[in-house]
Amino acid sequence: MSAWVEPIAIEAEQSKRSAEVGSRLMRLLEQLNDENTGKTLRPSEIAEQMGEERAGEVEKWFLGRAEPTFAQLDALAKLFAVSPGWIKHGNNTMFPIENHRLPEDAVEAATWLSEWEDSEPVDAIHLVREASKTGSLLVIKESTRHQFKVFATGIHVSEEIGNGGESMLTHLWVTLALLYKRYTRGSRHFMVFSYLAQPNTYKQMTSGQVNALTLLRDCEKTPWWEDAWDQSMYAKNTYWKGWKELCERIARAIARNDRLSTQLDAIKRGDMAAAMPGEAHTA
């Protein structure tokens, strides 16, 4: 009797795993196709992107009729920047949220922002400030393949900061100035956008369960990143309560720092050689 029961039990467990993986893959596909871009990603296209010779087997994965290998699931996780643990076992969140402190060096920070991985350029940088008193900052990188990664920076773009927070903002201001010059000079082919996200939307972005690019549609898009470091713009717009006061405070802090003030002045003049010794050719 056991000779019959054991194979049936194994087959049932395999079928269950296939169905669970297929369910996760379909959920991922739904999230990826919820960007309102007019393009629908199909399993056959995924098969092609993975380098598979035919689509039939990959389509079975999504239908829960066949189970991909762990190596194939790892490849899918890398392709769509999702958590390997989630796609293989249902552990963790679908989209990982990484903690990343921006380098204090503006060149390093701007380079990190404008690169996806392995020096591959990003397609867009999304800077999301929570529309709250603390003003927490998220960075969302979007690849040329419309993948995305979400990074919690630990930066608070608000007056709710101490001396350490003020120092982080002075370096952020100079980084944004450099990013703006690279962006407007066309030497780096990427777009930069900044937003204000209501707390509930911001919380969803950090949940790791929802396509963050989709949630950007619910955010207020404003050019605060372009104006934060430019004193001539402080009185022209009010992006949030305390905007002008915060920008003036950070401008004063930069003015007290000879290195940062010299670097920011050089960036504004477009003198990349002075702003970034040894890096002018990359600016």
Side-chain angles (χ1 to χ4, degrees):
M1 183 71 174
S2 61
W4 288 95
V5 173
E6 187 174 341
I8 292 173
I10 292 173
E11 183 178 349
E13 183 62 25
Q14 290 175 333
S15 177
K16 179 182 176 183
R17 281 202 309 271
S18 297
E20 289 174 348
V21 170
S23 177
R24 287 195 292 274
L25 292 179
M26 286 301 296
R27 182 180 166 199
L28 173 61
L29 192 62
E30 290 171 0
Q31 287 287 333
L32 294 172
N33 285 334
D34 191 26
E35 292 182 40
N36 201 28
T37 61
K39 177 176 172 56
T40 300
L41 188 65
R42 298 176 176 84
S44 59
E45 293 171 300
I46 293 172
E48 185 176 24
Q49 290 181 41
M50 290 181 65
E52 298 288 333
E53 293 186 359
R54 57 179 62 86
E57 187 68 16
V58 175
E59 289 173 342
K60 289 179 183 179
W61 301 347
F62 284 81
L63 295 173
R65 295 175 184 170
E67 183 182 359
T69 66
F70 285 143
Q72 288 168 325
L73 289 172
D74 280 331
L76 277 169
K78 183 174 182 180
L79 183 62
F80 296 112
V82 299
S83 167
W86 177 83
I87 204 169
K88 288 188 286 191
H89 310 293
N91 300 333
N92 307 318
T93 59
M94 186 188 314
F95 303 109
I97 310 297
E98 298 183 34
N99 294 310
H100 186 90
R101 180 164 179 167
L102 285 177
E104 291 190 349
D105 180 83
V107 177
E108 291 181 18
T111 299
W112 177 81
L113 284 167
S114 58
E115 290 183 350
W116 180 255
E117 58 184 24
D118 300 326
S119 298
E120 176 188 348
V122 300
D123 188 62
I125 303 165
H126 305 278
L127 305 171
V128 184
R129 178 193 182 271
E130 184 180 12
S132 66
K133 195 172 182 180
T134 55
S136 299
L137 179 68
L138 281 182
V139 170
I140 302 175
K141 293 187 184 183
E142 182 177 356
S143 78
T144 54
R145 298 186 299 276
H146 302 296
Q147 303 164 315
F148 69 89
K149 294 181 180 178
V150 181
F151 300 89
T153 65
I155 295 173
H156 298 279
V157 188
S158 73
E159 284 277 55
E160 298 293 307
I161 53 174
N163 291 333
E166 182 178 90
S167 176
M168 292 173 75
L169 288 182
T170 59
H171 291 96
L172 175 65
W173 261 223
V174 177
T175 297
L176 294 180
L178 177 57
L179 198 65
Y180 180 81
K181 285 297 181 181
R182 288 184 169 184
Y183 165 68
T184 55
R185 286 159 61 104
S187 56
R188 291 291 185 274
H189 300 290
F190 56 82
M191 301 295 290
V192 185
F193 306 100
S194 55
Y195 309 80
L196 298 176
Q198 291 301 314
N200 183 56
T201 301
Y202 191 92
K203 184 177 180 181
Q204 285 184 288
M205 285 181 169
T206 59
S207 71
Q209 302 292 355
V210 185
N211 186 333
L213 297 181
T214 299
L215 292 171
L216 290 175
R217 299 200 303 264
D218 299 327
C219 300
E220 180 186 359
K221 185 185 290 186
T222 74
W224 65 259
W225 83 276
E226 300 177 29
D227 296 345
W229 50 272
D230 187 349
Q231 294 185 57
S232 68
M233 301 300 293
Y234 293 171
K236 295 183 179 181
N237 297 290
T238 302
Y239 296 117
W240 59 80
K241 185 178 179 181
W243 152 263
K244 183 172 180 287
E245 293 76 11
L246 173 65
C247 289
E248 289 177 340
R249 172 182 174 179
I250 302 306
R252 290 192 298 270
I254 292 174
R256 293 192 298 267
N257 185 309
D258 290 340
R259 181 180 63 83
L260 289 180
S261 60
T262 298
Q263 188 177 30
L264 181 58
D265 288 342
I267 291 171
K268 289 179 179 179
R269 294 194 309 270
D271 186 354
M272 296 297 104
M276 304 177 293
E279 298 286 341
H281 63 286
T282 67

